[in-house]
Amino acid sequence: RRRRVDHRSSGTDEVDDPEADTTGMGSVSVWLTRGAVIGGAVVLLVVGAIATVLMLKWRRRRRRLRAVDPARRIVGAWANTTDSLIDAGLDIGPAWTDDRIAERARAVVQTVPHDLRRLAASATAMTFGGTERSAALVDDAVATSRQVDLAIRDDRSRWRRLRWRPWRRGCCARCSTRS
């Protein structure tokens, strides 16, 4: 493509414009590049947000199960279980007891293990006293908590499993029943 350039010394001359696009595709490729960059940035932000939620949940679950005090680990196993149930869709009222949560868990997860009531009772006992047998109950509490997670996972479709862990409901302190 040629354009006219006015030079004062020689008048009007035709000169080749090296930046002129002869195919008309230059602007399309520029817009495609911009779209790809913006789309990539949005995807990166979404993935970063999901990764942050997953990391926070993982750290909190790990901290609860690695407490030095066995009674704290039992209460932590119950807190992890309630967080999993909340993520699975259980709405826990602010005045619900551990026994009521265990009773209502079957509404969300049909295959919830029967040991869930024992875990709830152990957590209540550790919270309000009776910590003398806590060392013997820790392994059972952690195993029951893992069984609940497996039951939730097995009870969900693939799409619901993908949404289960990244869900933010069980991540914040005000949504969770325990910290």
Side-chain angles (χ1 to χ4, degrees), residues 89-111:
L90 181 65
D91 289 323
I92 297 175
W96 282 21
T97 63
D98 292 345
D99 290 332
R100 185 169 181 191
I101 293 169
E103 175 186 316
R104 298 289 173 103
R106 196 168 297 284
V108 175
V109 185
Q110 282 71 30
T111 59

Side-chain angles (χ1 to χ4, degrees), residues 123-164:
T124 302
M126 296 304 124
T127 301
F128 297 108
T131 60
E132 62 275 352
R133 291 188 44 231
S134 60
L137 298 174
V138 170
D139 293 334
D140 180 56
V142 172
T144 303
S145 179
R146 288 190 180 134
Q147 286 175 353
V148 170
D149 280 349
L150 289 173
I152 292 171
R153 190 184 70 197
D154 292 343
D155 200 41
R156 302 281 181 253
S157 67
R158 183 178 301 249
W159 173 246
R160 289 182 71 194
R161 278 193 310 251
L162 284 174
R163 293 185 328 175
W164 172 42

Side-chain angles (χ1 to χ4, degrees), residues 49-50 53-54 57 60 83-91 160-172 175:
I50 290 172
V53 168
L54 290 174
K57 285 184 174 188
R60 186 173 63 186
D83 283 350
S84 294
L85 291 170
I86 288 170
D87 288 343
L90 181 65
D91 289 323
R160 289 182 71 194
R161 278 193 310 251
L162 284 174
R163 293 185 328 175
W164 172 42
R165 281 288 179 211
W167 190 248
R168 194 189 145 277
R169 282 182 64 191
C171 187
C172 60
C175 299

Side-chain angles (χ1 to χ4, degrees), residues 67-87:
V68 176
D69 182 23
R72 292 280 86 198
R73 286 201 311 236
I74 292 170
V75 172
W78 176 248
N80 287 347
T81 300
T82 57
D83 283 350
S84 294
L85 291 170
I86 288 170
D87 288 343

Side-chain angles (χ1 to χ4, degrees), residues 1-3 16-24:
R1 182 166 145 189
R2 296 189 174 268
R3 66 182 178 127
D16 287 331
D17 184 6
E19 294 181 18
D21 184 17
T22 58
T23 64

